Amino acid sequence: MNPAQLAALVLLLPLASAAVIALFLRRRGALASYISVAAAAGIAVAASALIFGGHRDFPASMEWLRLGNFVVAFGIKFDDLAALMLMVVAYVGFLIHVFSLGYMHDDPAKARYFGGLSVFMLSMTGIVLADNLFMIFVFWELVGFSSYLLIGHWHERQSAAEAAKKAFIVNRVGDFGFLLGIVMCYWTFGTVNLTDLATKIAGGAALSAGIPLLLFCGAVGKSAQMPLHVWLPDAMEGPTPVSALIHAATMVAAGVYMLCRINVLMTPEALQAIACVGTATALYAALCAVVQTDIKRVLAYSTLSQLGYMVAAFGLGSLGHSDGGLHPAGASVAPAAGEGVGAAMFHLTTHAFFKALLFLAAGSVIYACHHEQDIFKLGGLRKRMPVTFWTFTFGVAAIIGLPFFGGFFSKDAILYLAYAKSPGVFAVLVITAVFTALYMTRVWRVAFFGEPRSAPAAHAHESGAVMTVPLVLLAAGAALGGYLGLYPDAFAGVLGQVPHPHGADEWSMMAVGTAAMLVGAGFALTYYRPGAGDRLQAGVPLLFNGLTVAKESFDDVYGYYVAKVQQRFAIILNFLDCVVLSGLIRVGAGVVGFFGLSARALHVGTLHAYVYWFLIGLALLWGFAAGTF
């Protein structure tokens, strides 16, 4: 098959799976699950052939819509950036499909679940392969639709239904800005094709900060950056494999991928704003994770924090030293401009493997403990679930930056980038790394060590092979994903830009990252003892309550706005609609009706009456002509 056919196959397989399930298999969950998993396997195979076949930027485009001179084409842009993201979507997506076979085995709505997974795979592969902003936006909205279906899979639970609606609405807020950015981009450059935009900008076309900042709104919503982060923790109401696929590995990373895709449109002002948003999100989410007791919510806030790392890396890496003098004097070898794409995508890749692993391992725990998710009601799982324990341990080691695990290398690349560009951002990200090690070690120690603290934990047992094999494979990715030498040349165009510290800087970054990990993990190991409950809540209630308030403050602000501002504004609009508009319409209709009835009364059907009306009209006409009236 030629590369265009392979790309089409990657898109058509999930589309065919979703269509077959929706039309014929809604009541046959087992068959639907096998078809969806087979489609995911086919995507992985076709994606591998496309990625490692040496195919890049091949011509593949067809006209989709024409309105006068305005043409929307569906085309494929496949470079090293798309290849790396496609690998993450295809491989991690397939492993999560396999895990779902066990996790959702007894679910009565299994067909709908796997149909939603196929729609999601179609959406994500479409975002990765699209060659213009309009088509990215089409698949972007399809991702929102599929995530709505999957988050609300257990819609009979009120919390799940509300979480699905919240995710859908909040993402639409960011998507509105994204759409405005696309329109503004077309208005400015006359095209939204990514290759044509790069050519025009290389030719000297003027840039403005408004376009990239509006496009960034889409990433703020999809990648759950402040202040539109509020939907992601609530989205944990969906099945755990959904959390792993959508809210850890792929969908939330789509915003970071989109930023890297439109890197040519960035201005220094926009990049500084992006770096600030990412840095603030990283620290805020890490603080919120410290007070969570639900294992999935801890991982949700961890995802927010790691996404903040990626966004900050993108914003910092594309800034030159002349932009505000952000580099410290001690930086002996500074990263070049544009390395933010490499650092952000490197961490996106390692994060996809270790965070999907953490979510699936948490799902294995939840499944074995009859859907108990409170870490302080678990305990003692290390001996009862050894495979889950060791794979979860690998995931924790990677995310906290234990030396020689995947997250150690990608996190240090971002820290070095911040060190070279902005001392303030560097300090905040180091503090964030301390809290990351703290809350992840807390979960690991409390959930797996000590004695069982509930009946479900006491009766837990290891999951079957269909759930543990994906854990083992993802654990290998978490351990080895940071070694750039293991990646093939197919990704060199992206991972070749990852900043590498040299000399004293290399040892300094390793020392800082390791020290941050040791401080956070050491505190958690000594402070949180299995069976002792949440010591932070009991021992330092002021700090605990303060972090809890910080976590809930955004929801409170949004709730106040909806109830006190938006709802009252809606009441005013409703009043104007009912009283003013409807009133005017009814008055106008009454006047017209009155004249209509009056005119109708004149039609009596008598010739003598019509003669009189003729004579009266003739007299009136003569009066107007003579100037009498």
Side-chain angles (χ1 to χ4, degrees), residues 62-437:
M62 68 176 184
E63 185 177 307
W64 182 55
L65 179 66
R66 176 180 291 272
L67 297 172
N69 295 326
F70 174 71
V71 178
V72 177
F74 179 78
I76 303 297
K77 182 175 178 61
F78 193 75
D79 51 10
D80 285 1
L81 177 63
L84 183 60
M85 189 66 183
L86 184 61
M87 180 195 72
V88 171
V89 173
Y91 293 173
V92 176
F94 170 65
L95 292 177
I96 293 174
H97 272 73
V98 174
F99 183 90
S100 296
L101 287 175
Y103 192 88
M104 303 296 290
H105 181 267
D106 298 323
D107 192 281
K110 185 161 55 175
R112 173 161 50 84
Y113 170 83
F114 279 95
L117 286 186
S118 292
V119 174
F120 176 79
M121 293 295 287
L122 165 67
S123 311
M124 277 305 305
T125 53
I127 290 176
V128 172
L129 296 175
D131 73 339
N132 65 82
L133 292 175
F134 277 124
M135 293 312 303
I136 289 178
F137 185 77
V138 170
F139 288 109
W140 194 271
E141 293 304 297
L142 196 56
V143 164
F145 167 72
S146 58
S147 67
Y148 170 79
L149 291 178
L150 292 168
I151 294 170
H153 177 72
W154 292 320
H155 57 82
E156 62 276 4
R157 296 192 329 214
Q158 184 65 24
S159 57
E162 291 178 353
K165 289 188 292 184
K166 185 176 185 179
F168 189 83
I169 293 171
V170 172
N171 272 274
R172 299 294 75 72
V173 175
D175 293 352
F176 180 69
F178 188 23
L179 181 60
L180 291 179
I182 295 173
V183 173
M184 188 174 177
C185 184
Y186 183 81
W187 183 273
T188 304
F189 299 106
T191 182
V192 290
N193 182 277
L194 297 170
T195 303
D196 292 343
L197 286 172
T199 302
K200 286 179 177 288
I201 293 168
L207 289 172
S208 68
I211 294 175
L213 287 177
L214 284 171
L215 295 174
F216 177 56
C217 289
V220 170
K222 201 70 72 185
S223 290
Q225 298 295 287
M226 293 174 66
L228 299 181
H229 65 282
V230 293
W231 67 271
L232 186 60
D234 290 350
M236 297 302 107
E237 293 292 336
T240 303
V242 170
S243 302
L245 179 64
I246 293 182
H247 310 123
T250 54
M251 173 184 148
V252 291
V256 178
Y257 172 78
M258 186 269 289
L259 290 177
C260 296
R261 185 51 99 191
I262 62 169
N263 184 43
V264 295
L265 295 173
M266 293 295 162
T267 65
E269 297 80 10
L271 288 167
Q272 289 184 12
I274 291 170
C276 289
V277 170
T279 304
T281 303
L283 179 60
Y284 168 80
L287 292 172
C288 291
V290 174
V291 297
Q292 297 298 311
T293 59
D294 185 308
I295 188 171
K296 286 178 64 176
R297 283 184 173 266
V298 174
L299 297 178
Y301 278 104
S302 172
T303 300
L304 288 175
S305 184
Q306 297 303 306
L307 289 168
Y309 257 90
M310 300 173 208
V311 172
F314 173 81
L316 287 173
S318 297
L319 286 172
H321 289 323
S322 60
D323 299 319
L326 298 176
H327 63 298
S332 58
V333 181
E339 287 186 335
V341 172
M345 289 301 298
F346 184 29
H347 196 56
L348 183 154
T349 304
T350 60
H351 176 265
F353 285 96
F354 65 65
K355 186 54 67 66
L357 167 63
L358 288 168
F359 265 109
L360 293 187
S364 179
V365 169
I366 294 168
Y367 185 82
C369 296
H370 304 287
H371 295 276
E372 178 58 68
Q373 297 181 198
D374 189 336
I375 60 173
F376 292 103
K377 294 181 180 179
L378 298 176
L381 300 178
R382 177 172 60 94
K383 296 179 180 179
R384 288 170 173 79
M385 306 179 68
V387 177
T388 299
F389 166 71
W390 283 109
T391 53
F392 192 88
T393 301
F394 272 54
V396 171
I399 192 173
I400 69 176
L402 188 69
F404 311 117
F405 279 80
F408 171 76
F409 298 102
S410 58
K411 180 194 69 177
D412 277 11
I414 294 176
L415 289 179
Y416 171 59
L417 204 55
Y419 171 72
K421 298 295 182 73
S422 173
V425 171
F426 173 72
V428 172
L429 294 183
V430 170
I431 294 171
T432 302
V434 173
F435 281 103
T436 301

Side-chain angles (χ1 to χ4, degrees), residues 291 293 376 527-528 533-542 544-545 548:
V291 297
T293 59
F376 292 103
Y527 191 75
Y528 293 99
D534 195 336
R535 293 190 64 193
L536 184 64
Q537 183 177 12
V540 195
L542 184 62
F544 184 90
N545 293 334
T548 303

Side-chain angles (χ1 to χ4, degrees), residues 419-483:
Y419 171 72
K421 298 295 182 73
S422 173
V425 171
F426 173 72
V428 172
L429 294 183
V430 170
I431 294 171
T432 302
V434 173
F435 281 103
T436 301
L438 191 158
Y439 64 72
M440 288 306 306
T441 306
R442 164 180 173 259
V443 170
W444 175 74
R445 182 165 172 76
V446 171
F448 288 94
F449 289 84
E451 297 299 324
R453 293 179 290 278
S454 66
H459 296 91
H461 57 83
E462 189 59 86
S463 304
V466 73
M467 296 174 67
T468 55
V469 170
L471 294 181
V472 173
L473 294 176
L474 288 171
L480 303 175
Y483 292 90

